[in-house]
Amino acid sequence: MNKPKRYTVTTALPYTNGPIHIGHLAGVYVPADIYVRYLRLTGNDVAFIGGSDEHGVPITIKAKNEGVSPQDIVDKYHAIIKKSFEDFGISYDNYSRTSAPIHHETASEFFKTLNEKGEFIEETTEQLFDEQANQFLADRFVTGTCPKCGNEEAYGDQCEKCGTSLNATDLINPKSALTGNVPTLKETKHWFLPLDRYEDFLKEWILVGHKKDWKPNVYGQVKSWIDDGLRPRAVTRDLDWGIPVPAEGGEGKVLYVWFDAPIGYISSTKEWAAREGKDWEAYWKDNDTKLVHFIGKDNIVFHCIIFPAMLKAEGSYILPDNVPANEFLNLEGNKLSTSKNWAVWLPEYLKEFPGQQDVLRYVLTANAPETKDNDFTWKDFQARNNNELVAIFGNFINRVVVLTNKYYEGVVPEPSEFEQVDEDTLATVKAYPDVIASSIERYRFREALNELMNLARLGNKYLADAEPWKVIKEDEERTKTIMYVALQIASALATLSEPFLPFTSEKLKSMLNVTSIGVETSWNDVSTNEVLLPAGHQIGKAELLFSKIEDETIQAQLDKLEASKKANEAANKAVEPQKDTITFEDFTKLDIRVGTILEAEKMPKAKKLLVLKVDTGIDVRTIVSGIAESFTPEEVVGKRVTVLVNLAPRALRGVESQGMILMTESADGKLVFVNPDDATVANGLQIS
């Protein structure tokens, strides 16, 4: 394609069954926003389209678990997700939702068009059915063993371990997520999209046409799918939450979420165009439009095979020019997991790091999983903030603005004669827009961000080498030139940082006072304009763009994750199976009494043992208990306890123990006394 007339840029629709975490930002939304902000800065016509996916089975599961309606769930999380995107500067032109009437209309019409063209196959097949729940089981209501990799926790639509797309009937040993029962097979009618009809088209369009320009991780996954042979895929399901199937025999059925969700891009564009007085069709049907989908790797098959097949079947839509999917971001060496609370949630981050959205955007971009899974660690987050944003970018800007205010009361000085180093530096600055743009246009956002930081490094080196704080004592005219050049670099940074660090860019532009008098520069101006900040221009006072993050702040985040890890371990801890059955007569042989610990001391040379004096109500006796790693002697004196008093005495390290204190463990493995909580219960009373 020659230079496009316009761009349609979409992002994967997040499920509205929970808030957004850093994996979502890194995988999809920050890269898309960088790309779109760059396009706008270079004068392009862009529709940046997103929305919430509100018809997925995870939503119905969440609603069932919380005892509310699916609508309650989607209303709650749509608002939370939308606000998170706004708070992090994800600059959508329209953020919609698939529960909107315009989406129901658009998806229904799309289905009817394909159905009337004979693009679907209607088949009666056997589907998994839960007899106890009396309903067919949608994909995520079924778990079992993946036939490809043996993962025992695969879902009925996809194995999240190996990425294989599945049908629920493919699973080995399937179980219902509703009741835990083994489902049966029952006949039901559904509509299928025959993907095998589109194999030749997909081979030509992707495997030949996009071999050189699509990311290798995307191309490789698509090739694997096509090589494996495509099969018909159901576009409807038996469910009561979603868009009703608009066809005879569709009663009690809805459009499958994978069919309905990508149409959400089209309906969201329609919503935007109606509001802005634009023609939506130009953004989806004009060959001069460039369509780009930003997604995570778990959505590659839907956006590179299934949705294009749908668009091809409909016949009037353009196909995506690129689908620059990222891989997964891990957290501290482990896979992000919403169910295990192993995540950094955006609403929590904003509370704990107020005003530091750009720090997270920066770190997620610098460490983005562009072609392979990558790892986010809090120590790396701290290091990149302190050693790069603060020490390089922030330090340069602070020195320039402080010195300009100190020497010239904030007025850009008139330069005198340029030396070779000044001309070389200004020429290098002019080259950066094209260098950064080249990386962005090839979806290499990590590389582009590094080039932006190289511009800040250039500024730091220029100032460090020129030493205006020394030169001003001997040559005021030379100092004016140095500061003039440094201010041009600062102005370039204000513009070129916007796609990556929008809040920082805005703050820097305000500090340089470039918006008030119409001297704000566009992306291309940095390359073409001889002057970015003219002599005589008044700048503002210095403000810190970034602040150092201390060790205790990072430790607090690590402690939160450690607490989540312990809670998960406790939740997954296997409950001991029941012991052999005993008779009532066996139980009556146990003499269990209420007692009080009177004295306690550590057993010499024994790490785990305390020697206790216990008032059992019968007598005061010595009991040796293995609780020293959980309690100090001082903590247990006066503690009410439950004692097995007729246990045969046993010598432990030369001390005769005459009974046993009953204990259990809390969820986090801490020992807990099994004791009466009523103060009126006297020592010696029997437990029966």
Side-chain angles (χ1 to χ4, degrees), residues 168-180:
T169 50
D170 296 333
L171 293 174
I172 301 167
N173 301 322
K175 288 189 301 184
S176 167
L178 296 176
T179 63

Side-chain angles (χ1 to χ4, degrees), residues 453-468:
M453 289 304 292
N454 283 340
L455 176 56
R457 291 182 180 97
L458 173 74
N460 260 329
K461 185 177 187 307
Y462 176 79
L463 269 189
D465 291 347
E467 297 182 313

Side-chain angles (χ1 to χ4, degrees), residues 87-99:
D87 288 342
F88 274 88
I90 309 302
S91 56
Y92 286 112
D93 290 302
N94 201 64
Y95 189 82
S96 191
R97 54 194 306 192
T98 59
S99 63

Side-chain angles (χ1 to χ4, degrees), residues 228-245:
D228 197 38
L230 300 178
R231 291 170 287 281
R233 192 176 179 98
V235 302
T236 60
R237 56 163 39 162
D238 294 289
L239 202 64
D240 58 2
W241 174 249
I243 299 173
V245 173

Side-chain angles (χ1 to χ4, degrees), residues 349 356 358-360 362-363 379-392 545-550:
Y349 175 89
Q356 292 180 282
D358 277 352
V359 179
L360 189 57
Y362 177 84
V363 175
K379 290 291 187 184
D380 178 67
F381 172 85
Q382 180 188 27
R384 288 189 182 277
N385 177 79
N386 294 353
N387 302 336
E388 296 172 22
L389 291 177
V390 174
I392 299 172
L545 293 179
F546 307 100
S547 55
K548 188 177 179 184
I549 296 174
E550 302 296 339

